[in-house]
Amino acid sequence: MASSSTKLAAALAVLALWTALAATTATAYPAESCATQSKYFINCLRRGFGPRCCAMVENPKCFCVVEQEAEIRCVPGRSCPSRGVAKVVKVAELHLSCMKDLKCKRA
């Protein structure tokens, strides 16, 4: 039977391995550019997921790249972001919480 100190050493070794693996996984994939994140966001809106699309953008500053007046055309066969909305809607008209009170620098 293994002693408690051997079990503790084994548990610490496993914990160290998990920590090292988590660190490598996090650094192996750098964050997407704001242009890419905003493209994911717009594509998500086109599929009719509305407020859930806010999670597609990791860095809130990337919402500044999204054009508020951009038109969202729903994907054929999918519903628009909400019932009763036309098939074409502007991003600003969706009134998404992640797009409110943005502090964007304009050149």
Side-chain angles (χ1 to χ4, degrees), residues 15-104:
L15 181 62
L17 178 64
W18 284 347
T19 304
L21 183 60
T24 5
T25 305
T27 57
Y29 301 104
E32 299 284 351
S33 70
C34 279
T36 301
Q37 289 181 50
S38 66
K39 196 179 303 181
Y40 293 158
F41 177 69
I42 295 295
N43 287 337
C44 180
L45 291 175
R46 285 187 181 128
R47 286 176 171 75
F49 295 114
R52 292 182 282 173
C53 297
C54 292
M56 300 300 296
V57 179
E58 293 176 38
N59 182 351
K61 291 181 182 178
C62 292
F63 285 115
C64 293
V65 176
V66 176
E67 179 56 48
Q68 295 276 339
E69 295 299 311
E71 291 183 343
I72 303 296
R73 298 183 192 282
C74 294
V75 174
R78 298 277 186 146
S79 62
C80 277
S82 65
R83 297 193 185 274
V85 176
K87 290 291 181 188
V88 176
V89 64
K90 292 183 181 182
V91 173
E93 294 170 355
L94 295 174
H95 304 290
L96 300 169
S97 61
C98 56
M99 298 292 288
K100 290 181 183 174
D101 302 325
L102 286 178
K103 303 219 183 336
C104 304

